[in-house]
Amino acid sequence: MAGDVTISERAAAKIKELLGETVQGRGLRIRVVEGGCSGLEYKLDIDTPRGGDQIFEKEGATVLLDPKSLLYLSGTELDYKKELMQSAFVFNNPNAKRTCGCGTSFTT
């Protein structure tokens, strides 16, 4: 479905690692806010579900999105890359027309 956000196996493993075993009922909240060098940027927090949230899960990892952020992230795959010089969540966002070099800022 076009509105879905998918979570790669690597991203699911990292989310579970970040949440640990003691934070039942929590997930990784992804928000899209104004800012960054391209106009919009991704913000990540550990949070609990709120009314109106869309909840996406894979292998016990939970991602929380508010309705406004989902508009920008519809069809996105959340991945996690671990490389020698940098490790980070990566957004494969089909709605982003341009991204900046840091990978956290984009334009639609």
Side-chain angles (χ1 to χ4, degrees):
M1 186 184 333
D4 283 353
V5 171
T6 58
I7 306 164
S8 74
E9 289 182 19
R10 289 184 300 250
K14 185 62 178 179
I15 292 167
K16 289 191 296 189
E17 178 186 323
L18 290 171
L19 293 175
E21 294 180 22
T22 59
V23 286
Q24 288 286 38
R26 291 190 171 203
L28 179 70
R29 178 170 299 281
I30 303 173
R31 295 183 300 129
V32 175
V33 298
E34 290 184 18
C37 31
S38 293
L40 297 168
E41 64 183 330
Y42 305 108
K43 293 288 185 180
L44 304 175
D45 296 298
I46 303 299
D47 202 0
T48 55
R50 301 177 190 160
D53 279 347
Q54 288 289 324
I55 300 172
F56 300 94
E57 296 183 299
K58 180 169 185 157
E59 300 173 4
T62 303
V63 171
L64 311 169
L65 289 154
D66 63 86
K68 180 182 173 190
S69 296
L70 183 58
L71 292 174
Y72 295 106
L73 295 171
S74 178
T76 296
E77 179 199 33
L78 178 64
D79 196 6
Y80 186 80
K81 291 193 177 176
K82 186 174 182 176
E83 298 173 349
L84 186 60
M85 294 292 289
Q86 181 180 14
S87 298
F89 284 104
V90 176
F91 297 87
N92 298 313
N93 186 346
N95 306 300
K97 291 190 169 92
R98 271 186 319 177
T99 59
C100 68
C102 67
T104 64
S105 181
F106 67 101
T107 302
T108 58

